[in-house]
Amino acid sequence: MEELRSRFKKLNIEEMGSADIAKSIEELDCMRARVDELNRENAALVKKYDGDEKYARAHKRAMRTPPPLTTSPSKMSAILKRVKGKVDGMVLSNSGIIGNKSYFQRGISRILAESCKAGSVKCDAAQITGLASYIASEYVDERGKAA
């Protein structure tokens, strides 16, 4: 989107010739194709997590934050699906747990570490803490929006 804004700021459409307009249209079509592909990939990722956008965002963040827990998207998906099931269960059994973010985050850290171990993925405390903090924040933010 930012690329599109900057492109329009640079253009002076009133002074453009037909060749320049055709070139700009072609560039915009390429941008639109990239956006459509990104949207398709994002929708597929959200579908992997049963429509839960929190975990799709966590997946993308975990894959791009150096060093990633794993470089395998399928292993990351398996880890986060296990985490999602357990954390959602934890929240369903005690919805007030989200109100105590530090306690909630520690619980997510424990679940995440267990999930990594179950998936034979080696991870360090910083990776677990960072991702658990992000996931906890996602739940807290979602709760804030629902209220």
Side-chain angles (χ1 to χ4, degrees):
M1 192 62 155
E2 190 58 39
E3 186 178 342
L4 186 60
R5 268 192 211 107
S6 67
R7 167 100 32 223
F8 274 116
K9 284 182 181 179
K10 292 178 186 176
L11 295 178
N12 187 356
I13 295 175
E14 294 171 355
E15 295 179 10
M16 291 177 73
S18 61
D20 292 332
I21 290 174
K23 182 180 175 191
S24 292
I25 289 172
E26 186 176 310
E27 290 171 354
L28 290 173
D29 286 341
C30 287
M31 277 189 245
R32 188 178 71 220
R34 287 196 316 256
V35 166
D36 289 345
E37 178 61 18
L38 184 60
N39 286 339
R40 187 196 62 73
E41 290 172 5
N42 287 341
L45 191 56
V46 168
K47 189 175 179 180
K48 282 184 183 181
Y49 296 105
D50 301 324
D52 196 333
E53 293 179 5
K54 294 187 301 291
Y55 282 90
R57 287 189 295 269
H59 179 108
K60 289 170 66 174
R61 183 180 181 113
M63 292 298 292
R64 73 173 178 255
T65 302
L69 287 176
T70 177
T71 56
S72 167
S74 60
K75 277 189 175 185
M76 181 62 70
S77 181
I79 289 168
L80 290 176
K81 282 180 184 180
R82 282 191 293 273
V83 170
K84 176 182 172 14
K86 290 182 180 181
V87 172
D88 283 351
M90 187 169 65
V91 170
L92 284 173
S93 67
N94 180 7
S95 62
I97 196 169
I98 296 174
N100 186 345
K101 187 177 176 186
S102 63
Y103 179 77
F104 183 51
Q105 182 179 328
R106 283 193 307 271
I108 294 172
S109 293
R110 181 185 49 76
I111 292 168
L112 185 55
E114 290 169 359
S115 184
C116 286
K117 187 176 180 181
S120 301
V121 173
K122 294 183 180 185
C123 53
D124 62 36
Q127 291 171 309
I128 295 294
T129 302
L131 187 53
S133 173
Y134 182 78
I135 292 171
S137 294
E138 285 283 333
Y139 276 89
V140 170
D141 291 348
E142 181 180 64
R143 182 179 184 190
K145 290 176 187 173

